[in-house]
Coordinates of all heavy atoms in Angstrom, one line a residue:
M598 N -7.0 -19.6 -2.8 CA -7.8 -18.5 -3.2 C -8.1 -17.7 -1.9 O -8.3 -16.5 -2.0 CB -9.1 -19.0 -3.8 CG -8.9 -19.5 -5.2 SD -8.3 -18.2 -6.3 CE -9.7 -17.2 -6.5
L608 N -7.1 -7.3 4.3 CA -6.8 -7.9 5.6 C -5.4 -8.6 5.6 O -5.2 -9.4 4.7 CB -7.9 -9.0 5.9 CG -9.3 -8.4 6.1 CD1 -10.3 -9.6 6.1 CD2 -9.4 -7.5 7.3
V610 N -2.8 -11.3 6.3 CA -3.0 -12.7 6.4 C -1.9 -13.3 7.3 O -0.7 -13.0 7.2 CB -2.9 -13.4 5.0 CG1 -3.0 -14.9 5.1 CG2 -4.0 -12.8 4.1
A612 N -0.4 -16.9 8.0 CA -0.4 -18.3 7.4 C 0.9 -19.0 7.7 O 1.9 -18.4 8.2 CB -0.6 -18.2 5.9
R614 N 4.0 -21.9 6.3 CA 4.7 -22.3 5.1 C 4.0 -23.4 4.4 O 4.3 -23.7 3.2 CB 6.1 -22.7 5.4 CG 7.0 -21.5 5.9 CD 8.4 -21.8 5.8 NE 9.2 -20.7 6.3 CZ 9.3 -19.5 5.8 NH1 8.7 -19.3 4.6 NH2 10.0 -18.5 6.3
G617 N -0.2 -21.7 0.5 CA 0.3 -20.9 -0.6 C 0.7 -19.5 -0.1 O 1.1 -18.7 -0.9
D620 N 3.9 -17.7 -1.2 CA 4.0 -17.3 -2.6 C 3.5 -15.9 -2.8 O 3.8 -15.2 -3.8 CB 3.1 -18.2 -3.5 CG 3.6 -19.6 -3.6 OD1 4.9 -19.8 -3.4 OD2 2.8 -20.5 -3.8
E625 N 5.6 -9.6 7.3 CA 5.6 -8.3 8.0 C 5.3 -7.1 7.1 O 5.4 -6.0 7.5 CB 6.9 -8.1 8.8 CG 7.0 -9.2 9.9 CD 8.2 -9.0 10.8 OE1 8.7 -7.8 10.9 OE2 8.5 -9.9 11.5
I630 N 4.1 -15.0 8.1 CA 4.3 -16.4 8.0 C 4.8 -16.9 9.4 O 5.8 -16.4 9.9 CB 5.4 -16.7 6.9 CG1 5.1 -16.1 5.6 CG2 5.7 -18.2 6.8 CD1 3.8 -16.7 4.9
I639 N -0.1 -17.1 16.5 CA -1.4 -16.5 16.0 C -1.8 -15.4 17.0 O -2.1 -14.3 16.6 CB -2.5 -17.5 15.8 CG1 -2.1 -18.5 14.7 CG2 -3.8 -16.8 15.5 CD1 -3.0 -19.7 14.6
E641 N 0.0 -13.8 19.2 CA 0.9 -12.7 19.2 C 0.7 -11.8 18.0 O 0.8 -10.6 18.2 CB 2.3 -13.4 19.1 CG 3.5 -12.4 19.0 CD 4.8 -13.1 18.8 OE1 5.2 -13.9 19.7 OE2 5.4 -12.9 17.8
Y645 N -0.5 -7.9 18.2 CA 0.4 -6.9 17.6 C -0.4 -6.0 16.7 O -0.3 -4.8 16.7 CB 1.5 -7.6 16.8 CG 2.4 -6.7 16.1 CD1 3.4 -6.0 16.7 CD2 2.3 -6.6 14.7 CE1 4.2 -5.1 16.0 CE2 3.1 -5.8 14.0 CZ 4.1 -5.1 14.6 OH 4.9 -4.2 13.9
D651 N -1.5 1.5 13.1 CA -0.7 2.1 12.0 C -0.2 1.0 11.1 O -0.2 1.1 9.9 CB 0.3 3.0 12.5 CG 1.3 2.4 13.5 OD1 0.9 1.5 14.3 OD2 2.5 2.7 13.4
M656 N -0.3 -2.6 6.3 CA -0.3 -3.9 5.8 C -1.6 -4.1 4.9 O -1.5 -4.8 3.9 CB -0.3 -5.0 6.9 CG 1.0 -5.0 7.6 SD 0.9 -6.2 9.0 CE 1.7 -7.6 8.2
V658 N -3.0 -1.7 3.0 CA -2.6 -1.1 1.7 C -1.7 -2.0 0.9 O -1.9 -2.2 -0.3 CB -2.0 0.3 2.0 CG1 -1.4 0.9 0.7 CG2 -3.1 1.2 2.6
G660 N -1.3 -5.2 1.0 CA -2.0 -6.4 0.5 C -2.8 -6.1 -0.7 O -2.8 -6.8 -1.7
I664 N -2.3 -7.5 -4.8 CA -3.4 -8.0 -5.6 C -3.5 -7.2 -6.9 O -3.6 -7.8 -8.0 CB -4.7 -8.0 -4.8 CG1 -4.6 -9.0 -3.6 CG2 -5.9 -8.3 -5.7 CD1 -4.4 -10.4 -4.0
F668 N -1.9 -9.8 -9.3 CA -3.0 -10.7 -9.5 C -4.3 -10.1 -10.1 O -5.4 -10.6 -10.0 CB -3.4 -11.4 -8.1 CG -2.3 -12.2 -7.6 CD1 -1.4 -11.7 -6.7 CD2 -2.1 -13.5 -8.0 CE1 -0.3 -12.4 -6.2 CE2 -1.1 -14.3 -7.5 CZ -0.2 -13.7 -6.6
H671 N -5.5 -8.4 -15.8 CA -4.5 -8.1 -16.9 C -3.2 -8.9 -16.6 O -2.7 -9.5 -17.5 CB -4.2 -6.6 -16.9 CG -3.2 -6.2 -17.9 ND1 -3.4 -6.1 -19.2 CD2 -1.9 -5.8 -17.7 CE1 -2.3 -5.8 -19.8 NE2 -1.4 -5.6 -18.9
Y677 N -0.7 -16.0 -18.3 CA -1.3 -17.2 -19.0 C -0.8 -17.2 -20.5 O -0.4 -18.3 -21.0 CB -2.8 -17.1 -19.0 CG -3.5 -18.2 -19.5 CD1 -3.5 -19.5 -18.9 CD2 -4.2 -18.2 -20.8 CE1 -4.2 -20.6 -19.4 CE2 -4.8 -19.3 -21.3 CZ -4.8 -20.5 -20.6 OH -5.5 -21.5 -21.1
F680 N 2.8 -18.3 -20.6 CA 2.8 -19.8 -20.4 C 2.5 -20.6 -21.6 O 3.2 -21.5 -22.0 CB 1.9 -20.2 -19.2 CG 1.8 -21.6 -18.9 CD1 2.8 -22.2 -18.1 CD2 0.8 -22.4 -19.5 CE1 2.7 -23.6 -17.9 CE2 0.8 -23.8 -19.3 CZ 1.7 -24.4 -18.5
I681 N 1.4 -20.2 -22.3 CA 1.0 -20.9 -23.5 C 2.1 -20.8 -24.6 O 2.4 -21.8 -25.2 CB -0.4 -20.3 -24.0 CG1 -1.5 -20.6 -23.0 CG2 -0.7 -20.8 -25.4 CD1 -1.8 -22.0 -22.8
K682 N 2.6 -19.6 -24.8 CA 3.7 -19.4 -25.8 C 4.9 -20.3 -25.4 O 5.5 -20.9 -26.3 CB 4.1 -18.0 -25.9 CG 3.0 -17.1 -26.6 CD 3.5 -15.7 -26.6 CE 2.4 -14.8 -27.3 NZ 2.8 -13.4 -27.4
L687 N 3.9 -21.4 -29.8 CA 3.1 -20.5 -30.5 C 3.6 -19.0 -30.3 O 4.1 -18.7 -29.2 CB 1.6 -20.5 -30.1 CG 0.8 -21.8 -30.3 CD1 -0.6 -21.7 -29.7 CD2 0.8 -22.0 -31.8

Side-chain angles (χ1 to χ4, degrees):
M598 285 301 287
L608 298 170
V610 177
R614 295 200 180 287
D620 294 334
E625 298 186 16
I630 302 298
I639 294 171
E641 177 185 296
Y645 174 78
D651 57 324
M656 291 177 97
V658 169
I664 294 300
F668 295 94
H671 178 74
Y677 186 72
F680 176 85
I681 294 297
K682 286 179 180 178
L687 296 176

